[in-house]
Amino acid sequence: MFDCVVVGAGPAGLSASAALAARGVAHVVLERGRAGETWRTQRWGSFRLNTPGWMNPALGAQERESYATRAEVVERLETLAADCPIREVTPVARLARAGAGWVLRTAAGDLRARAVVVATGDQNTPKVPALARAVPARVAQYHAGDYRTPGLLPAGSVLVVGSGQSGCQIAADLLGGGRRVLLATSPVGRLPCRYRGRGTYEWLVELGFYDQRPGDLTDPSLLRAPNPVIGGGGHSLSLQALARRGVTLVGRPVAIAGDRLTFDDSVHANIAAGDAFAAWARGLVDDLARRRGGELPPAEADPTDTPVEISPPATLDLRAEEVTSVVWCTGFDGDFSWVDPGLVGPAGQPRHDGTAAAAPGVWYVGLRWLVCRGSSILRGFPQDAATVAGEVEAYLGGVGPGHGS
């Protein structure tokens, strides 16, 4: 029997492994593929982090203002994994209670553990709307997790559905590849890259933005809001900026009949939603400056704020517009069908109460809003992992060298 098993060898699971090792907790990490599997298989070629190096402690030491590419992230995860007790290509088919402990069923046999840390994440199973089934068969369909480069898509125009982080960045990537792009928009906030002489992330960290807990929110619906958009590699990005570069903005797709696709009229409201969040973030900084009583550098001009005149079409003929591909940037869920039913809610997603503990002997790491806003980003993984490792150690009664079988 193992003292502890960690399920998942992405940055959250590797953070958990490092934290457990630091406390002397004997453990093993089970990974369905290779270390960092999601980063290997669900990121496009030009992907680059939109958080600077200092925001990504889960990836180890790095240049403060660097923005890692997908390949660099994978390389860092491989380096971190080399120091962890990982069994790769060992997917867990079932996690179930077994007396006072837990059993994890794998193709290689059952493993028993006194404690389990589930670090598989809740953003790695593609979500595609039912509308996708009505898209003509001649149009190739991809999810953001499948998209790699413009050159691998059939020649022609591309409809990108969803204007969150992935949708905006993939739209920009397609533009760079010489494609005509239509972007079905959604109401997502955005952040300026810099404001008043500093990176916006620096301000937000100082303001405690990522330390907010679910109970701090006046509107619980914010728990489901997508992360605000900021360009990969550290630059501002907005819907109006994409429109000026040649992207055709449309509303949310609501119906399709043959080649005729119908959209709602939400484009202007979606642009406004992005602008409102950017203004809110800047307002937080201005309030901080007033409280300090000191002077800050003046606000920089941000070209992504510049309005654009658009007349979004209400319908689109896919054939006439030569649309040959659709990229669904409609988000991800996590698959927890393998987890004991007592650990998940009615919708099949993890059940927890504002802490990382799911049940006696089981903890989560790497979920959105697990403990705070930062729980699901590279900045937050090590902090939550350290807390969990302490709780695991206490639960096990203060293990020494540990054991496993």
Side-chain angles (χ1 to χ4, degrees), residues 5-17 28-32 34-36 86 90 92 117-121 338:
V5 172
V6 177
V7 185
L14 296 177
S15 295
S17 178
V28 66
V29 181
L30 305 182
E31 167 54 47
R32 62 187 170 95
R34 296 167 292 172
I86 297 178
T90 308
V92 177
V117 178
V118 177
T120 54
W338 56 277

Side-chain angles (χ1 to χ4, degrees), residues 122 209-217 222-225 227 352 354-355 366-376 384:
D122 57 2
F209 180 74
Y210 294 102
D211 299 324
Q212 284 184 311
R213 293 175 175 264
D216 297 331
L217 301 179
L222 293 175
L223 294 172
R224 300 186 297 274
N227 290 326
H352 57 91
T355 71
L367 304 183
R368 291 196 70 202
W369 287 103
L370 176 65
V371 176
C372 62
R373 187 189 292 269
S375 288
S376 63
D384 283 2

Side-chain angles (χ1 to χ4, degrees), residues 27-28 45 100 104 123 176 189 196 227 250 266-267 286 300 340 373 380 404:
H27 66 284
V28 66
L104 298 100
Q123 297 288 302
R196 294 194 181 277
N227 290 326
V250 294
S266 63
V267 177
D286 294 340
E300 303 91 337
D340 185 281
R373 187 189 292 269

Side-chain angles (χ1 to χ4, degrees), residues 29-50:
V29 181
L30 305 182
E31 167 54 47
R32 62 187 170 95
R34 296 167 292 172
E37 185 69 16
T38 297
W39 288 86
R40 297 173 186 272
T41 61
Q42 293 186 344
R43 301 292 186 272
W44 55 93
S46 68
F47 178 92
R48 187 177 288 270
L49 291 178
N50 60 9

Side-chain angles (χ1 to χ4, degrees), residues 33 50 71 78 88 93 158 161 170 196 211 229 240 242 250 344 348 350:
N50 60 9
E78 288 176 338
E88 295 187 321
V158 183
V161 181
I170 287 174
R196 294 194 181 277
D211 299 324
V229 172
Q240 52 266 49
L242 289 171
V250 294
V344 298

